[in-house]
Amino acid sequence: MPTRDTTRGIHLVDIPGSGVSEIRAHPEGTIGHLGLTAPTTAGSAGGRIDTLRITRPDPGLHWARAAITAAGERLVARGCGYAQVTLPTADHPLLPAFRALGYRELARTLSTPLGGQQPVDGAYALHALTERGFLAWLPLFRADYRDALRRGGIPAAEAEAGAGRWAADLTANRLDSHRHVLRSLSHRGVPVGHLWAAVTRGPQTRAFVLDVRIAPAHRGRGHGRALLRATENEALSLGCSTLGLSVFADNRPALRLYDALGYPVSGVVLLRRLTG
């Protein structure tokens, strides 16, 4: 059944079996498509805008804003407390419409193709993370990840649960070297940082950095740059063709580092609280 909205002049018509709705206006007819996903994970209150395409000229983004508003209303009706969307570029034409309606940047994803080995100062070395090192690092990752989600607008209980799921999965599978790369970085024999990356194997094997950190006492000395370059070399040695990573929007030092290293943005994750 259509969902009508006379104040914005559009209505949504579901396409059976597709999870996508036509966005219709009068008298123009179909002006675009909208796809949504409501939560299926127990305890999750977040919905997602998977697809939003406006196929008619929309210079003032009127229809885009109307469709985004209608998406939020539908997600609230499905029990969602917040909405999330990922745009593929930092200058996407729909970004102003989302921002105008209160969507805030939660994180960015970046990805770079891997070519030859990168030069790394011989004073640095990557080592397999020991059990003792793992047990010391895991609570730091879990707390930082939880807190970053909360700062981005994820409800506290859901942020805690999400961080817990990551920690539990890694604890159970940390010895699976085909999936997880856990390393420590030393400089002149002194431990200065840690790395966690996940490897996805297939026709194009890819690595994705899930946590990269330099110990607070060792920051500001170029160790982060060395760790990223060493990570690229490690991924290349595992047969990976690309290296991706995600960084929270409020982590400005990391964003500056990745920009300086030439990592292009592959996604901008936006979030808006819909209730509460």
Side-chain angles (χ1 to χ4, degrees), residues 64-195:
R65 292 196 303 272
I68 294 166
T69 301
E73 292 172 352
R74 277 207 166 186
L75 290 174
V76 168
R78 296 178 186 179
C80 299
Y82 66 89
Q84 184 172 306
V85 62
T86 300
L87 300 178
T89 62
D91 58 353
H92 194 278
L94 291 179
L95 184 58
F98 280 102
R99 283 181 169 161
L101 292 170
Y103 281 76
R104 296 170 48 205
E105 187 173 329
L106 173 65
R108 292 190 174 198
T109 57
L110 305 98
S111 180
T112 188
L114 298 174
Q117 290 279 319
Q118 296 290 334
V120 179
D121 190 318
Y124 290 100
L126 277 182
H127 313 272
L129 191 60
T130 65
E131 183 71 8
R132 181 178 179 180
F134 174 81
L135 294 175
W137 161 80
L138 185 63
L140 299 177
F141 161 75
R142 178 172 178 165
D144 286 353
Y145 185 69
R146 175 202 64 208
D147 293 346
L149 290 176
R150 292 183 63 180
R151 290 194 304 272
I154 303 294
E158 188 169 343
E160 181 68 49
R165 284 192 295 271
W166 275 110
D169 178 72
L170 181 58
T171 299
N173 297 288
R174 65 186 183 278
L175 299 180
D176 183 355
S177 59
H178 288 279
R179 286 181 55 195
H180 297 294
V181 178
L182 291 160
R183 300 287 186 266
S184 64
L185 178 75
S186 65
H187 180 249
R188 303 190 189 282
V190 177
V192 297
H194 295 87
L195 158 73

